[in-house]
Amino acid sequence: MQKSKIKKLCAITLALALGATTLVGCGGKDSGKGAKQEMVHNLGAEVETVDPTLNKAIDGSIVIANAFEGLYKTYDSDKAEPGIAKSCDISSDGLTYTFHLRDDAKWSDGQQVTAKDFAYSWKRALDPKTAANYAYQLYYIKGGEAYNTGKGSADALGIKVVDDLTLEVKLEKPTTYFLELTAFATYMPLREDVISAHPNDWTTDPSTYVTDGAFKLQEYNMKDSYVFVKNDNYYDKDKVKLNKLTFKMIVDETSAYASLKNGELTSIDIVPVAEIESGKQSGLVQISPNLGTYFYCLNVGNKTEQLKPEVKKALDNKNVRKALNLAIDREKIVKEVAKGGQEPAYSFVPKGIEIDGKDFADKKYWDETKFDVEGAKKLLADAGYPNGEGLPTFQLKYNTAEGNKLIAEAVQQMWAQIGVKVNLQNEEWKVFQKSRENGSYEIARHGWSADYVDPISFLDMWMTGGGNNDAKFANPKYDELIKKAQLETDVKTRAQHMREAEDILMEEMPIVPIYYYTFVKGIDPKVKDMRVSPLGQVYFVKAYMAE
C-alpha cells in the first residue's frame, strides 16, 4: 500500500480466504472499441436512497460505488488502494492518519475535491440529527461515538482540515482496517454547499447530485431508473470505457430475466430460482462468492405495546428462539429451494474471513446438515409450549422476491412439524426496510454482507442501540466484548473477544442464520471487466461491452 505498511488484519484479503474476486469476462485483447459502450444493470429493488450518508442497502450502495470515490478505493480488489488520496502517512502509534489528496480530483461540476468535503461528510454522518444508520462505522474516529450519542461535540472530533489537499484524522485506537473503511459509502465526500441548499432532494436532480467518481447522473426516473454517463471530470476518466450506465429498478425477477435474455438489460442482480440451472448452461448466469449470511431476525427488544403480549412472551423465551433455529432443514433449503450454490449456515459470521491463520468460522454451533425436529420439540416443551401448544401464530415478513417467498414457505412447513404456526406477509423493499428498522414485525427475513473483511463487520451491528440492530438485541456482556475487540491490537486476543461475542449471539439467538450467501447474477456474455466483489459491490468503473 505505497508509503504506509498497515499491520496485521489489513493483510487479510479475500484472495486468501475466498479465492480471487470475480472480474466478469476478463478483457484480454478485445477492447470493445467497436461495440456500443452502454450497460443497463437491474438492481432488483426500488432504491430508497443514493445518499452515501443515509443509504443502508446494497442496491443503493452499488449506485454510490460507481458514482463516488473515497480517500481509498476497492475497485480492483477488496484491499484498499489510493483513490482521491494519493497517499497516506500513518503515525508510529497507529492513531493519526494524514491523507494527501490528489490535486486533479474534481467533482462532476468541475470544482476541486477538497479535504473540507470529507470533513463535512463525516461530521454530517456523525451528527445525531442526521440519524444515519451507519454512523457507528465512524466511531473509530476520535470523539465519533461521543458526538453521535450526544455526549460530545463536532469540535472535539479527530478530524482536521490542514489545507485543501491535506486531511488529518485521529482515531480512538489503532484500527488496522481503517484504510478499507475509507472506501465505504459512509466515508464518501459530499458538498456542503449543495446539500445545505437542497437538503431533501439533492440526490434526485442531476444538477445537484454532484459526484467525484467515474460516472455522473444524467437522469433520474422515480421508481424506474438512474441514468449515468461518463464523468469527464473524473481524474482517471481514461480508464472508464462506458459512455452510459443505467441502473434499473425492476422488482419482478421473471420480467427482469426476460429483459436480460432479449437484450434490454446487460446484467441483473437477482435471477429467478427456476432459471438458475438453465442460465448457467446457456452462459447467462454466473455464481460467485459472497461474504454474507442469509438469516431471520427475531424481534426481541420491542416494548409490550408494540407486539401482542403473547407474541412478546414467546419471542422473549430463548428456548423458543433456539427451537426455531433447530427446526430448519438448511440442507434442503440450499439444495432444493435456493439452488444457487449456497452453503448451510452453522454460525452467523460466514466462512471466508481468515484471522490469526485460520478461518474465523471454524466453530460449528449446530450440525448444519441435521434437521433436529426432536431437539426443537424438547426446547419448546422446556419453554412451556409442548408440541407448540399455547404458542401464538407468528407473522413472518419478507421483502417481495420469489426466492424469499420460496424460502419462507419452506420454513413455514418445517416449523409446522414442531407445532409452530406462521403466517407469511411480503412487503415492498422500501416499506420492508422501515418495518425492520422500526420494529414493526415479529420475525423478518434479513441478510448481511461484509462491509470490509473482518468478523467485526458482522458482530458490531448487534450492539445495544446500533443503527442496524433490527432485532433490538441488548446484552451488556456482548457490548463489552465488542468494545474490547475494537480496542485490542493483539490479533489472538482480539479474535478471542469476537469469538466470545458470537458465542453469546448464538446462545441468545436473536437471529436465525440459514445459509451463507453466494452471488447469483444474470450477465450478458458480452459484458467484460464488471467486477462483482464478495463484499456485495458491483463495479463498472473498468467495464465495457465486447463486440
Side-chain angles (χ1 to χ4, degrees):
M1 199 169 290
Q2 290 201 0
K3 281 188 180 180
S4 305
K5 292 185 179 179
I6 308 304
K7 302 174 183 178
K8 301 172 185 175
L9 292 179
C10 274
I12 303 170
T13 67
L14 290 178
L16 295 175
L18 287 174
T21 55
T22 303
L23 199 61
V24 177
C26 292
K29 295 181 179 179
D30 186 356
S31 64
K33 288 183 178 179
K36 190 176 183 180
Q37 294 308 316
E38 297 182 3
M39 289 186 182
V40 185
H41 179 78
N42 187 51
L43 297 164
E46 183 186 340
V47 177
E48 182 177 8
T49 182
V50 290
D51 183 331
T53 302
L54 300 179
N55 176 67
K56 56 182 182 292
I58 192 65
D59 43 69
S61 73
I62 290 174
V63 177
I64 293 165
N66 289 280
F68 287 85
E69 183 167 296
L71 291 167
Y72 274 63
K73 60 186 179 182
T74 53
Y75 295 162
D76 295 322
S77 72
D78 295 300
K79 188 173 181 180
E81 57 185 89
I84 299 301
K86 62 183 179 181
S87 64
C88 178
D89 299 323
I90 304 176
S91 62
S92 59
D93 61 5
L95 291 175
T96 304
Y97 285 62
T98 304
F99 294 95
H100 304 283
L101 277 60
R102 308 176 60 96
D103 58 11
D104 57 349
K106 297 184 183 299
W107 290 99
S108 52
D109 64 0
Q111 288 195 32
Q112 175 84 41
V113 179
T114 69
K116 181 182 176 182
D117 299 324
F118 286 94
Y120 163 70
S121 176
W122 298 3
K123 290 177 181 179
R124 176 178 182 249
L126 285 168
D127 187 339
K129 295 179 182 177
T130 305
N133 287 68
Y134 263 117
Y136 69 89
Q137 290 287 35
L138 288 91
Y139 284 5
Y140 299 95
I141 298 171
K142 186 177 180 181
E145 182 175 8
Y147 177 43
N148 185 244
T149 56
K151 301 174 184 177
S153 68
D155 292 338
L157 290 171
I159 303 171
K160 180 181 179 181
V161 176
V162 179
D163 55 46
D164 280 353
L165 300 180
T166 311
L167 180 69
E168 181 184 280
V169 184
K170 291 186 180 295
L171 305 184
E172 289 282 2
K173 73 282 182 184
T175 305
T176 54
Y177 46 88
F178 186 67
L179 291 185
E180 275 73 19
L181 281 170
T182 66
F184 188 66
T186 318
Y187 281 82
M188 296 295 115
L190 294 173
R191 283 267 294 281
E192 182 176 10
D193 60 320
V194 172
I195 297 177
S196 60
H198 305 274
N200 299 317
D201 60 356
W202 74 277
T203 62
T204 59
D205 187 332
S207 67
T208 55
Y209 195 60
V210 289
T211 58
D212 70 325
F215 299 96
K216 65 178 181 179
L217 186 64
Q218 181 186 61
E219 182 182 339
Y220 168 67
N221 301 293
M222 186 178 294
K223 297 185 178 182
D224 179 77
S225 61
Y226 291 89
V227 181
F228 285 84
V229 293
K230 181 177 179 177
N231 179 10
D232 288 329
N233 284 311
Y234 179 51
Y235 72 88
D236 216 9
K237 63 181 181 298
D238 291 342
K239 292 183 180 178
V240 181
K241 297 177 182 177
L242 291 180
N243 296 316
K244 187 176 183 180
L245 173 62
T246 300
F247 292 102
K248 296 287 286 185
M249 293 180 272
I250 303 170
V251 176
D252 185 79
E253 301 167 13
T254 303
S255 297
Y257 192 71
S259 295
L260 175 69
K261 289 196 291 185
N262 68 26
E264 294 176 23
L265 299 174
T266 52
S267 54
I268 59 177
D269 256 358
I270 303 173
V271 176
V273 173
E275 301 284 359
I276 293 176
E277 199 54 44
S278 61
K280 286 165 58 179
Q281 294 175 9
S282 68
L284 269 183
V285 173
Q286 295 188 25
I287 297 177
S288 59
N290 179 349
L291 195 61
T293 303
Y294 188 107
F295 61 98
Y296 281 158
C297 199
L298 310 179
N299 192 341
V300 298
N302 271 34
K303 297 179 181 178
T304 303
E305 59 266 25
Q306 293 175 286
L307 289 177
K308 295 177 182 178
E310 62 271 23
V311 171
K312 178 172 174 55
K313 178 183 177 182
L315 291 180
D316 278 350
N317 194 305
K318 180 170 64 176
N319 282 335
V320 170
R321 303 195 296 268
K322 294 173 80 170
L324 296 177
N325 179 68
L326 279 188
I328 293 178
D329 189 342
R330 294 169 171 82
E331 278 273 297
K332 183 175 183 178
I333 287 175
V334 300
K335 290 181 178 179
E336 300 180 19
V337 183
K339 300 180 181 179
Q342 300 90 346
E343 292 188 48
Y346 51 77
S347 59
F348 179 57
V349 178
K351 295 168 61 176
I353 303 178
E354 188 174 318
I355 187 167
D356 193 26
K358 61 182 179 180
D359 196 307
F360 185 80
D362 64 341
K363 179 174 181 178
K364 294 191 175 185
Y365 289 94
W366 55 83
D367 185 346
E368 76 277 22
T369 65
K370 188 177 180 182
F371 183 29
D372 193 356
V373 174
E374 294 308 314
K377 285 183 175 181
K378 183 179 185 307
L379 284 166
L380 282 183
D382 291 344
Y385 301 102
N387 297 311
E389 296 172 12
L391 276 176
T393 298
F394 294 115
Q395 180 189 68
L396 193 163
K397 285 188 179 182
Y398 62 91
N399 56 298
T400 304
E402 184 63 22
N404 293 333
K405 177 184 177 183
L406 293 173
I407 291 171
E409 290 174 344
V411 170
Q412 181 185 46
Q413 294 172 13
M414 292 168 190
W415 284 347
Q417 295 185 47
I418 62 169
V420 175
K421 297 178 181 178
V422 176
N423 288 331
L424 306 183
Q425 179 183 357
N426 69 300
E427 292 182 338
E428 292 183 2
W429 180 228
K430 289 176 70 173
V431 175
F432 180 70
Q433 289 182 82
K434 290 294 183 184
S435 293
R436 271 196 332 218
E437 183 180 341
N438 298 333
S440 302
Y441 75 94
E442 296 172 8
I443 303 172
R445 173 261 161 192
H446 210 319
W448 193 260
S449 288
D451 297 322
Y452 46 91
V453 188
D454 192 271
I456 205 75
S457 181
F458 289 87
L459 299 173
D460 62 4
M461 65 187 289
W462 303 115
M463 292 181 71
T464 302
N468 288 311
N469 183 354
D470 291 343
K472 315 304 178 188
F473 176 64
N475 184 291
K477 179 62 177 177
Y478 185 88
D479 295 346
E480 179 187 347
L481 286 166
I482 295 299
K483 288 181 178 179
K484 283 183 178 179
Q486 291 172 334
L487 290 168
E488 185 59 59
T489 56
D490 179 77
V491 175
K492 288 187 176 181
T493 304
R494 182 173 182 274
Q496 183 59 35
H497 290 326
M498 291 189 289
R499 165 62 62 225
E500 291 177 14
E502 189 175 29
D503 287 347
I504 291 174
L505 191 67
M506 294 295 89
E507 171 62 24
E508 295 300 318
M509 202 60 69
I511 54 174
V512 176
I514 297 178
Y515 61 69
Y516 303 137
Y517 273 118
T518 57
F519 284 122
V520 183
K521 297 189 183 296
I523 304 169
D524 187 318
K526 292 182 180 179
V527 171
K528 305 297 178 183
D529 288 3
M530 179 186 93
R531 193 173 86 86
V532 180
S533 163
L535 301 183
Q537 298 298 354
V538 182
Y539 294 105
F540 295 89
V541 178
K542 297 182 179 179
Y544 67 93
M545 294 297 294
E547 294 185 64

